[in-house]
Amino acid sequence: MDIDRRSAATAVLPAPAATADADRRFYRHRLPVRVMHWINVVCLTVLLMSGLNIFNAHPALYWGQGSTFDKPWISMRAEDTPAGPIGKTHFAGHDFVTTGVLGLSSHDGAPTARGFPSWATIPGAQWLAMARHWHFFFAWIFVINGICYVLYSLFSRHLVRDLVPTMDELRRIGQSIRDHVRFRHPTGEAAKRYNVLQSLTYLIVVFGLLPLVIVAGLAMSPRLNSVYPGWVELLGGRQSARSLHFLAASGLLLFVLIHVFEVIVAGVWNEMRSMITGWYVLPSEPAQQEARK
C-alpha cells in the first residue's frame, strides 16, 4: 500500500527538464514587434529581388548627375573570348571573372548576358515594368511599416528600454565583440536584453541604412525632383542616389545574412519561437548546465 502511494506521488511530479524550461520562459517580443518583423521579412525579400531585376536593365553604377558610361565604379557585363563568352564584374578599376553568377549566367539552359542571375530576380527573369510595379508597391508597405515601428518604439519605450545601450554596456563592447567571435551568447538574465552589438546594429539599421535606402530611392524619381527641385543634388545627383540606394540595400542584405547566421548559431527553434509566439526560453547559466549533468 505504501509502495502504491509513493508510486502515485512520483507519477504526478513534473519532469525536471520541463519544469526548468517553464521556469526560464520569458516573454521576449510583443505582438506589434513580431507582426512588423514578419512584414519586413516579406517586404525586404520582394524589394531585394525585384530591385535586382530593375538593376539588370542597366547593370552599372556611377557617381554624379549623369551616366559616364566609360567610367562606372561597378559594372557587370559579358565578353566574348576565344574559349567562349564569360561574365566580368568591374569594380574599383579592376575586372574580375564572375561567369555563372554576375555578368553571364544560365537562363533556360543557355548562357545569358545579365547582371544578376535569373534565380535572384522576381517577378521573372527579365521583366522591368512589372518588377518596378512590385518594387514600388512593397516599398510603400515597407515605409508605412517602418513608420509604425518607430512610433511604437517611441511610445511603448521599446526604443529606450531595449535598443539604446547603457553606458555600462558601451564600456563592455570589447568583451561583447570577443564573445561574438567565439560564438558565446548571453545566458540567464543577460539573455533578456539585447547585447550591445545587437543594440548598436539595430540603431544603425533603423535610423541609418533604412532612411538612406528610402531617400535615395525617392531621389531617383524625376517626378519628385520636378515637384521639389534641387534636393537630389544634396545626394550628389541622380546617379549618386542610385549608387547610394544600391550600397544601402547591400548593407541591409549583409545585416540580414549576419542576423540569420546568428539565429542559427544561437538556436533556431528558440529564436524562431520567440518571434512567432513571443516566448523565449532563457539559455541556462554554465553552472546550471553543469548541475543538470
Side-chain angles (χ1 to χ4, degrees), residues 92 109 122 152 169 203 235:
I122 57 173
Y152 171 81
E169 289 171 330
L203 290 174
L235 297 178

Side-chain angles (χ1 to χ4, degrees), residues 78-213:
E79 282 188 5
D80 287 324
T81 68
I86 61 172
K88 279 192 174 183
T89 297
H90 174 84
F91 178 70
H94 301 279
D95 285 338
F96 303 92
V97 176
T98 52
T99 307
V101 182
L102 304 176
L104 184 78
S105 54
S106 177
H107 176 59
D108 290 337
T112 306
R114 52 188 301 114
F116 288 92
S118 56
W119 54 261
T121 61
I122 57 173
Q126 191 170 352
W127 195 359
L128 176 60
M130 188 56 68
R132 285 168 58 88
H133 285 306
W134 282 43
H135 201 74
F136 296 153
F137 177 76
F138 281 93
W140 283 114
I141 295 177
F142 186 60
V143 169
I144 294 170
N145 191 57
I147 293 172
C148 291
Y149 176 79
V150 171
L151 292 176
Y152 171 81
S153 297
L154 289 173
F155 288 107
S156 69
R157 298 188 60 79
H158 171 61
L159 177 64
V160 176
R161 184 183 62 246
D162 301 321
L163 294 180
V164 177
T166 65
M167 290 304 299
D168 182 58
E169 289 171 330
L170 289 173
R171 282 192 291 267
R172 289 187 281 110
I173 190 170
Q175 182 60 49
S176 183
I177 293 173
R178 287 190 291 271
D179 288 341
H180 275 76
V181 170
R182 298 169 184 172
F183 301 126
R184 293 177 179 174
H185 294 83
T187 58
E189 289 297 312
K192 288 185 176 182
R193 179 174 170 81
Y194 296 135
N195 64 65
V196 63
L197 288 184
Q198 281 180 297
S199 299
L200 292 176
T201 302
Y202 290 148
L203 290 174
I204 291 171
V205 168
V206 173
F207 297 104
L209 284 179
L210 293 180
L212 177 60
V213 77

Side-chain angles (χ1 to χ4, degrees), residues 3-22:
I3 293 175
D4 292 340
R5 278 198 296 268
R6 284 196 299 269
S7 300
T10 303
V12 299
L13 288 175
T19 304
D21 282 351

